[in-house]
């Protein structure tokens, strides 16, 4: 990136304005604008529940949210009382993906040094994705609405994803001047085939819930009006729910066979490679132009 364009972006960023069982819940990470907790971690009947809770911003990921979710998965992995984990969102969206204001915060943190900001951002992101790769217990995603960017790519790293019929899936990397992440360059072609993966990763295809079911990205599509009830019964119902019908060590043993150490090693290498390219793309002229358009559109 030219020094002139780098300076333009730095000035724009620096000048913008920030804006049925017993359940135990911990509130993590405060949203400075809405004064609301942006991630809720809870435990219920042996299930670690991670709920993205930033509905006024469509559950877009902040820097702290990445850390909180990664730490939540790490804690659940070592907690012997936890049988499995569930990740979902509050409101109409599962998640709108990375909040572009993260760029502003990182640039301010490093006094406009774009390369240092990119290093910090991508390392945080690498660790976030690694937490999905290494989680040893069953991990379920209840996709209550649209999943964009990293919210869509990491679905390929969970063990089972079910979606509301209001959901759609989008990975608009090329429209932002960025590159694919979340191990999607490896997982998407395996799951949905090379052609559909290319539509998603290169050409910004917006995949419907029906397409996601047909492609294997999700295992079931539920009418939105019945979604919460379905998740409740599927996981927690007295005689038929997962927590009452599936032995935890049995589930974990099968997952160890499905996601073996060799497969995890491959995924970690893909994650590292993707993050290296993502770091380069995040300081590119194309990304600069996309971010400037975003800020102008949103009058930041």
């Amino acid at each position: 990136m030219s020094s002139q364009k780098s300076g333009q972006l730095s000035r724009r960023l620096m000048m913008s304005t920030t804006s049925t069982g017993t359940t135990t819940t911990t509130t993590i990470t405060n949203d400075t604008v809405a004064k609301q907790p942006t991630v809720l971690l809870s435990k219920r009947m042996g299930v670690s529940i991670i709920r993205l809770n930033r509905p006024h911003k469509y559950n877009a990921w902040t820097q702290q949210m990445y850390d909180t979710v990664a730490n939540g998965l790490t804690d659940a992995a070592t907690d012997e009382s936890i049988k499995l984990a569930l990740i979902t969102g509050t409101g109409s969206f599962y998640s709108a993906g990375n909040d572009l204001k993260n760029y502003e915060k990182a640039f301010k943190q490093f006094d406009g040094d774009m390369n240092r900001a990119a290093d910090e951002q991508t390392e945080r992101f690498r660790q976030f994705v690694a937490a999905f790769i290494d989680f040893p217990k069953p991990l379920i995603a209840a996709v209550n609405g649209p999943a964009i960017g990293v919210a869509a790519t990491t679905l390929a790293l969970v063990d089972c994803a079910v979606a509301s019929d209001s959901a759609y899936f989008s990975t608009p990397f090329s429209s932002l001047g960025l590159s694919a992440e979340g191990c999607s360059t490896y997982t998407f072609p395996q799951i949905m085939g090379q052609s559909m993966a290319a539509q998603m990763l290169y050409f910004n295809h917006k995949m419907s819930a029906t397409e996601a079911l047909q492609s294997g990205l999700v295992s079931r599509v539920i009418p939105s009006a019945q979604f919460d009830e379905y998740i409740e019964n599927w996981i927690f119902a007295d005689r038929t729910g997962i927590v009452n019908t599936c032995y935890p060590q049995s589930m974990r043993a099968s997952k160890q066979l499905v996601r073996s150490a060799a497969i995890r090693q491959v995924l970690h290498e893909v994650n590292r490679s993707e993050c290296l390219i993502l770091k380069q793309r995040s300081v590119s002229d194309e990304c600069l132009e996309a971010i400037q358009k975003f800020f102008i559109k949103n009058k930041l």
Side-chain angles (χ1 to χ4, degrees), residues 105-134:
K105 294 176 181 178
F107 291 141
K108 285 186 176 181
Q109 180 182 352
F110 294 104
D111 298 321
D113 187 330
M114 299 182 68
N115 289 315
R116 287 181 63 200
D119 286 342
E120 192 273 345
Q121 288 275 79
T122 52
E123 177 56 23
R124 169 179 274 118
F125 192 81
R126 185 196 65 76
Q127 293 179 17
F128 168 77
V129 173
F132 281 78
I133 295 171
D134 286 333

Side-chain angles (χ1 to χ4, degrees), residues 211-262:
E211 285 182 298
L213 177 63
Q214 293 170 344
S215 74
L217 186 62
V218 303
S219 65
R220 192 173 298 274
V221 175
I222 313 299
S224 58
Q226 303 168 20
F227 188 74
D228 290 344
E229 181 182 5
Y230 175 86
I231 298 299
E232 172 70 21
N233 290 333
W234 179 39
I235 298 177
F236 298 108
D238 285 344
R239 290 184 294 275
T240 59
I242 292 172
V243 295
N244 291 307
T245 60
C246 299
Y247 285 104
Q249 294 304 319
S250 174
M251 292 189 292
R252 186 166 181 172
S254 292
K255 178 166 180 173
Q256 287 175 345
L257 294 170
V258 171
R259 185 167 294 177
S260 65

Side-chain angles (χ1 to χ4, degrees), residues 125-186:
F125 192 81
R126 185 196 65 76
Q127 293 179 17
F128 168 77
V129 173
F132 281 78
I133 295 171
D134 286 333
F135 190 70
K137 302 172 184 179
L139 177 57
I140 295 171
V143 187
N144 54 295
I148 300 172
V150 65
T153 58
T154 50
L155 292 178
L157 294 174
V158 308
D159 299 296
C160 184
V162 297
S164 164
D165 61 3
S166 66
Y168 62 80
F169 306 83
S170 175
T171 52
F173 304 122
S174 59
S175 68
L176 294 171
L178 295 171
S179 55
E181 35 76 336
C183 295
S184 59
T185 57
Y186 177 83

Side-chain angles (χ1 to χ4, degrees), residues 39 59 64 77 129 139 148 165 169 191 198 224 263 274-275:
V39 178
N59 294 327
Q64 288 180 311
V129 173
L139 177 57
I148 300 172
D165 61 3
F169 306 83
I191 291 171
S224 58
I263 291 175
E274 288 179 346
C275 285

Side-chain angles (χ1 to χ4, degrees), residues 79-97:
D79 186 339
E80 291 302 318
S81 72
I82 295 300
K83 302 175 182 178
L84 58 93
L86 170 70
I87 183 168
T88 190
T90 298
S92 60
F93 267 61
Y94 177 68
S95 173

